[in-house]
Amino acid sequence: MALEAEVWSDIKPIPLDDGPDPLAPIAYDAEYSEAMGYFRAISQRDERSERALKLTERIVEYNPAHYTIWHYRQQILFSLNKNLNEELDFVKEQIESNPKNYQLWHHRQVLVEKLMDASCELPFINEILNDDAKNYHAWTYRQWIIRTFNLWENELDFVNKLLDKDVRNNSAWNQRYFTLFFNPTKPTEEFLTQEIEYVIEKIKMAPNNISPWNYIKGIIAKSNKDIGILEELCKEIEKQDIISPHAIGCLVDIYESRARKGSATDKEEGIRICTLLAEKHDAIRKKYWEYRKVILTSL
Amino acid sequence: MPTEKEFVRDKHISYLKRGLTLLPKQYASNDTNRMTLAFFCLSGLDLLGALESEIPEERRKTWIDWIYAQQILPDERNPEINEKICGFRGSPFSGLPFDPNGSRESRLPFDAANLAMTYTALTSLLILGDDLSRVNRSSIINSLKYLQKDDGSFTQTYQGMESDMRFLYCAVVISYILNDFSGINIEKAIDYIKNSQSYDFGIGQGPGEESHGGSTYCAISSLYMLNKLDEGLLSKEKTLFWLISRQESGFQGRANKPPDTCYSFWIGASLKILDKLELINYEQNHNFLMQTQAKFGGFAKLIDNYPDVMHTYLGIAGLSLMNEPRFLELDPAINISKKAKENLLNNCAFHKQK
């Protein structure tokens, strides 16, 4: 679809001047080239008009990642006092078809910052996460919304639901940590003890899932507890004849921490299970476990 | 066991050459990033040892001119007028006439340099054998001051886009190449990196965010260039464990995600900087990359996807890290061949002894 001739009759488009032998030139659609020609002409005089607004819409159809066009569009929207709620609807559609585009999420953030109203945001993000629960952009934006508008209250429930759906969703585990420790209200000692029990249950459900293992080690370090409290769990998994490199790897951490305090039996046991990991249970990381063995041996 | 696929060197060379001379319209969404696409193709050819044999010297010179034409230079009469926008654009989309000596007059309201483009312009110039003599160092370093946020991170342009670890890396590597760190508040940058380390000791794009292979690379490489690895990494051993744990066959970017070609570089280069790359399983990484390699040249993100220029380059860079035969050696921090880095150290006035 061509641009309406009568609206643009006073403007002489500026063609792209790419020199005699351009690097990485793109075979642009004719419509994109035409629209960019008009953009060059009117942006040089900083025209902020209805036709300029329509032009930016045309350009992002072909190139939703054009950050300069989004920046220009924002200036136009603000200058013309446009209804930014309508723009939120527009960018919602855009994000739905390009959920991993930095510029679109940023545009939404600029609008919400201006409106200082986040009432539509969590439901919208939920929709996006429903399609891809690990979308990094959506999580980045969600964290910004929660911090900026102090929306901590129901976040743990939300994370619980996501983990019930997929206990391997590492983004949800990360959000759990964010919800607990980036919240201005810090978790109590009692809460953290319960939290460790919650994670242990999740580990038992799927001992080969690395995410809760990383998370529980993080919680233990953060609450100044001893990693030794996981020994029982690791051994219980071992007894059930489930091979979990994460459980055995966790034992290496436990034995190493005791070997550092001088325990010779833990040192020996650590060396033994490093060999087991290297030779059998985590062979892809053979050289890494051999490296850990060298560290243990040197203690 | 099926026989492993061979590396189709000549087909990759053709694929990269096509990228330099004409990209299909699907790349329109990269119109602002053409400099980076050019860098991927140039550096790919360079790592394959094919740049000089495949591209005649005359053409390399015209490409050097094209890169310099994207430089925004300070206004001669009143440098303050455009000091925030100096550096390189990704392409000439803003509409100034082509000038191989850069645009000194640029005061267009919507024209601006971009940190990622300045970084890949500098590396592309080095790869093409240029001595950076037309680079306006002081204006680029000065512009960095306007792009760093209070939290220590950087944004890509003064127009106020998102700020995160990617652009912190760009600011650091630009300063490293230009041998001048005075545009960066280093203390704040280190704090940002420290604050972005997660409970699993990988590093996210910002504080509170999920550990990610790309941002972990940006952080580790920045710390290395700032000579602050020991101070900046809260636990080198635990970060090492996080990196090593990403190997599935190839490498994943986050826990419980599928392996993806580009992480052979992001994770591989991080380990190389920490001097621990030899702890990975080379064979499985190699075999994974042979599966994402397209029969007609190029690498895809995942097995059975179509190839693209970025994954092609990062696949080649990943193989180069493992010292495969017939590859040039890679400098993991700047992400150019050691040969191009030699050019920087030996031929550029910013590094030569006075």
Side-chain angles (χ1 to χ4, degrees), chain B residues 15-117:
Chain B
Y15 182 87
L16 294 166
K17 277 169 73 181
R18 280 201 301 278
L20 286 168
T21 47
L22 193 61
L23 290 159
K25 65 178 184 183
Q26 289 79 359
Y27 281 86
S29 60
N30 278 298
D31 193 16
T32 56
N33 305 330
R34 278 174 52 199
M35 191 69 78
T36 299
L37 300 178
F39 159 73
F40 289 146
C41 297
L42 290 169
S43 198
L45 287 174
D46 188 31
L47 289 176
L48 294 174
L51 187 65
E52 273 113 28
S53 55
E54 294 290 330
I55 312 289
E57 190 181 357
E58 202 47 43
R59 191 154 207 203
R60 279 181 264 141
K61 280 191 177 147
T62 58
W63 283 346
I64 288 172
D65 280 347
W66 185 88
I67 295 170
Y68 276 119
Q70 311 317 321
Q71 187 175 204
I72 302 177
L73 294 162
D75 189 286
E76 259 164 331
R77 279 149 299 164
N78 184 6
E80 277 175 29
I81 215 167
N82 67 350
E83 65 172 353
K84 293 181 187 170
I85 66 167
C86 287
F88 287 79
R89 314 174 190 92
S91 68
F93 63 82
S94 50
L96 286 170
F98 182 86
D99 183 345
N101 293 309
S103 328
R104 202 165 275 287
E105 297 300 324
S106 174
R107 282 172 242 167
L108 302 183
F110 296 97
D111 194 18
N114 176 304
L115 280 187
M117 303 309 134

Side-chain angles (χ1 to χ4, degrees), chain B residues 130-184:
Chain B
D130 184 68
D131 63 0
L132 307 186
S133 55
R134 281 183 267 169
V135 171
N136 189 306
R137 168 162 74 168
S138 60
S139 71
I140 293 174
I141 296 300
N142 180 56
S143 74
L144 295 179
K145 294 173 186 158
Y146 300 100
L147 302 177
Q148 190 169 20
K149 302 276 188 183
D150 273 346
D151 66 4
S153 67
F154 280 79
T155 180
Q156 56 191 317
T157 79
Y158 93 101
Q159 292 167 335
M161 292 297 297
E162 73 276 5
S163 60
D164 57 38
M165 202 64 80
R166 292 172 297 156
F167 304 111
L168 187 150
Y169 167 77
C170 290
V172 171
V173 69
I174 288 166
S175 304
Y176 185 76
I177 291 171
L178 299 180
N179 202 14
D180 181 349
F181 283 93
S182 64
I184 298 181

Side-chain angles (χ1 to χ4, degrees), chain B residues 238-257:
Chain B
K238 287 180 176 161
T239 299
L240 171 64
F241 177 71
W242 185 85
L243 290 164
I244 290 285
S245 299
R246 300 286 70 73
Q247 186 162 25
E248 292 269 294
S249 56
F251 286 85
Q252 59 189 187
R254 297 183 256 161
N256 285 329
K257 293 272 282 179

